[in-house]
Amino acid sequence: MAEAKPRIAVVGAGLMGHGIAQVFALAGHDVTITDAIAQSLDTATTRIAANLRELGEDESAVARVTPCADLAAAVREADYVVEAVSEDLPLKQKLFAEIERHVRADTVLASNTSVIPITAIMGGLAHRERALGTHWWNPPFLVPLVEVIETQWTSPQTVAFTMALHQAAGKKPAHVKKDVPGFIGNRLQHALWREAIALVEQGICDAETVDEVIKASFGRRLAVLGPLANADMVGTDLTLAIHNIVLPAIDSRPGSSPYLQKLVAEGKLGFKSGEGFRKWSADEQKTLRSKVMQHLKAARDS
Ligand SMILES: NC(=O)c1ccc[n+]([C@@H]2O[C@H](COP(=O)([O-])OP(=O)(O)OC[C@H]3O[C@@H](n4cnc5c(N)ncnc54)[C@H](O)[C@@H]3O)[C@@H](O)[C@H]2O)c1
């Protein structure tokens, strides 16, 4: 008989939580999901079913997801608990302390925090060797990467189990060996955003041009050619020569950009206020969101 798949509990049924539950259910795991807000929990399975339908996936997978209003009941039988509640350190610390009271000593505990150090979230646990970070990307069912972040306490068995669990669920897990702010993906992404903002701030081009330059050049290659394979392709000697000229000119201020701070102070918050680096009508926002989803779906199917 085939070995039973680990039972999953997802805490937080918001944007990320319901998508994570969907991925595990589609991979054949029994999943419980819980949320402190009844409306969020009550709509979780409807949202999962709608996603599955939209993606052309097996809709019956939603039957493997059991909403559970009580946290203790949701996690009690789990082999693996992943937390996706609001990005709030005291909330996450309190939640894991509570979860630890209801699970076995070897149940793996993971946080999907975007930026909070895993060490800070898990430091107070009695069994810190079974705790780690798993950083998914939105939408969880279309973006393949999950960064698996170990702390100084995480056991090699916990890392291996979590890597294998995500691999088997069709994700691309990446092992982050040190618990550093931004892990890997967001450090790289925001290094690029810092320079993108600086180019606009210095009057070198406007925001639309920055985005066009990226999309029409190295952005085209990025899905198949990472920067370090690219550096090897052109030669480390050429890369060194380029860096010796370009890096001293690139923005290296340690803090957030004053230009970005000014936008926020002026209430130019992007889509939510209709203007950020650029102006966005409701139609333009809808079109761009839909273009991103179509692109991610096409990438999944290719
Ligand atoms: N949105 C993203 O693109 C993204 C990407 C990667 C990681 N994350 C991280 O994932 C986590 C969740 O983000 P999200 O975008 O899904 O947020 P969200 O606001 O959509 O969902 C959070 C959910 O947590 C619930 N919640 C709050 N307190 C709770 C508690 N005590 N017990 C149970 N449920 C509780 C809320 O009711 C809500 O449904 C955050 O840590 C976030 O930083 C988000």
Side-chain angles (χ1 to χ4, degrees):
M1 208 172 78
E3 208 179 307
K5 295 203 174 208
R7 286 159 300 186
I8 310 290
V10 180
V11 183
L15 184 68
M16 297 303 289
H18 89 284
I20 293 170
Q22 176 182 325
V23 169
F24 283 122
L26 199 57
H29 296 267
D30 286 330
V31 181
T32 52
I33 186 164
T34 188
D35 198 288
I37 307 283
Q39 213 248 341
S40 186
L41 186 61
D42 292 347
T43 58
T45 49
T46 327
R47 284 178 283 142
I48 292 171
N51 294 340
L52 292 169
R53 200 173 317 124
E54 162 84 16
L55 294 165
E57 306 275 16
D58 176 13
E59 259 188 79
S60 70
V62 75
R64 282 192 282 277
V65 180
T66 307
C68 202
D70 180 46
L71 175 70
V75 300
R76 193 170 291 127
E77 302 292 321
D79 302 301
Y80 180 87
V81 179
V82 53
E83 162 277 313
V85 304
S86 321
E87 189 76 340
D88 173 335
L89 177 59
L91 170 68
K92 289 183 192 283
Q93 287 169 327
K94 202 167 141 264
L95 199 61
F96 277 109
E98 172 76 17
I99 290 169
E100 199 171 43
R101 282 199 282 278
H102 304 294
V103 295
R104 299 188 313 266
D106 65 345
T107 295
V108 172
L109 305 182
S111 172
N112 182 50
T113 177
S114 301
V115 290
I116 302 173
I118 309 302
T119 307
I121 298 173
M122 305 297 190
L125 294 182
H127 293 284
R128 300 184 292 200
E129 69 285 351
R130 45 70 173 274
L132 77 184
T134 53
H135 180 231
W136 294 63
W137 293 66
N138 184 46
F141 42 84
L142 280 177
V143 182
L145 183 71
V146 178
E147 290 168 279
V148 174
I149 307 116
E150 69 173 270
T151 70
Q152 74 230 59
W153 310 294
T154 315
S155 71
Q157 293 84 340
T158 301
V159 173
F161 170 85
T162 307
M163 295 287 288
L165 179 75
H166 289 81
Q167 184 88 48
K171 306 309 291 178
K172 275 205 187 315
H175 183 189
V176 185
K177 296 177 189 166
K178 287 184 184 169
D179 182 23
V180 292
F183 315 130
I184 301 172
N186 270 325
R187 285 169 89 98
L188 292 165
Q189 177 169 235
H190 289 282
L192 179 61
W193 289 22
R194 174 167 66 183
E195 184 57 24
I197 296 170
L199 287 164
V200 175
E201 188 175 5
Q202 291 167 25
I204 295 162
C205 61
D206 60 18
E208 204 165 346
T209 305
V210 168
D211 288 352
E212 281 311 317
V213 165
I214 294 167
K215 288 187 294 176
S217 63
F218 66 88
R220 285 270 171 118
R221 300 190 300 233
L222 272 178
V224 291
L225 182 65
L228 299 184
N230 198 344
D232 279 347
M233 191 181 277
V234 300
T236 52
D237 49 345
L238 177 58
T239 304
L240 177 63
I242 292 169
H243 280 200
N244 284 339
I245 295 172
V246 171
L247 292 195
I250 284 180
D251 189 12
S252 61
R253 288 171 296 181
S256 59
S257 150
Y259 186 94
L260 178 62
Q261 291 168 13
K262 187 162 171 285
L263 286 183
V264 174
E266 289 170 351
K268 294 181 179 166
L269 304 179
F271 279 19
K272 63 186 121 174
S273 69
E275 183 177 356
F277 290 98
R278 295 152 64 176
K279 288 201 168 80
W280 297 96
S281 70
D283 269 356
E284 286 169 333
Q285 292 183 26
K286 200 168 155 230
T287 305
L288 187 54
R289 284 192 201 282
S290 143
K291 204 169 167 181
V292 173
M293 286 303 278
Q294 292 309 323
H295 173 75
L296 292 174
K297 272 192 233 168
R300 175 200 62 169
D301 298 336
S302 67

